[in-house]
Amino acid sequence: MWFLLKQIAHAGLPAEKAPEPNEAWRTEREQIQSNILSILGRALCIRQVDAGSCNACELEIQALSNPYYNLEGLGIKFIASPRHADMLLVTGPVTKNMEAALKDAYDATPHPKLVVGIGECAGNGGIFGESYASCGGVSNVIPVDVVVPGCPPPPIDILRGILSAVTAKAGESGA
């Protein structure tokens, strides 16, 4: 333990500057909020499903809840049950063990349902591809409306993907 304390004292406390605020993101966030509320007229309820990811995408999704992005203030909230969801947000390649659970969550989501795949793994299986343990991308198991590329994609891209799925569905229904 003394060795560890000596190393900490020798190295000091690492610190980095806080990122500078990006006004373009703030403006885009406000535009996304107004678009979602004008299209749906209410909050967007999302059920997040981890189909076998490494959790990098989940960390970026969790970042959406911090004060910088203020997801709840945008009229978007995460819920526990797919029965009350408007959208499924799926991360990771679909493992064989999660295939049935993902199908069940999709079937339990009421119409009109949206599915957004987050990250390269959800899009095409990523480095895992298709194998004895993986079905590959989410579209191999359930229909997908939008895939947000990246490994992991930044939170603002996830917001853009959510908005593009909602906008596309509104265009289909003529709303």
Side-chain angles (χ1 to χ4, degrees):
M1 180 163 150
W2 289 110
F3 177 73
L4 182 60
L5 290 173
K6 193 186 323 180
Q7 279 186 321
I8 291 171
H10 177 64
L13 296 175
E16 59 184 68
K17 284 178 47 179
E20 296 296 321
N22 187 337
E23 289 304 315
W25 285 2
R26 188 176 312 265
T27 305
E28 186 172 2
R29 186 189 71 80
E30 291 168 0
Q31 183 63 39
I32 289 171
Q33 176 186 18
S34 64
N35 287 347
I36 287 174
L37 291 176
S38 68
I39 291 168
L40 292 178
R42 58 181 168 76
L44 174 66
C45 297
I46 299 175
R47 169 68 170 129
Q48 197 269 323
V49 178
D50 179 352
S53 75
C54 68
N55 292 105
C57 293
E58 280 79 5
L59 290 173
E60 297 301 317
I61 291 169
Q62 184 64 35
L64 289 171
S65 297
N66 70 29
Y68 188 77
Y69 293 101
N70 191 18
L71 192 72
E72 292 271 337
L74 291 175
I76 301 172
K77 61 183 179 177
F78 287 96
I79 58 172
S81 173
R83 295 185 191 284
H84 303 130
D86 301 310
M87 174 183 290
L88 292 179
L89 205 62
V90 186
T91 59
V94 182
T95 63
K96 297 287 185 178
N97 292 337
M98 281 298 294
E99 183 179 10
L102 180 60
K103 286 180 183 177
D104 289 346
Y106 180 78
D107 292 339
T109 305
H111 290 283
K113 54 184 112 187
L114 299 167
V115 178
V116 177
I118 303 295
E120 295 297 324
C121 294
N124 57 24
I127 61 171
F128 305 102
E130 292 183 43
S131 69
Y132 70 93
S134 172
C135 299
V138 177
S139 62
N140 293 346
V141 178
I142 60 173
V144 176
D145 296 299
V146 174
V147 173
V148 180
C151 186
I156 194 69
D157 287 347
I158 295 171
L159 276 176
R160 288 179 188 130
I162 290 169
L163 178 64
S164 63
V166 170
T167 305
K169 192 59 82 170
E172 287 175 12
S173 65

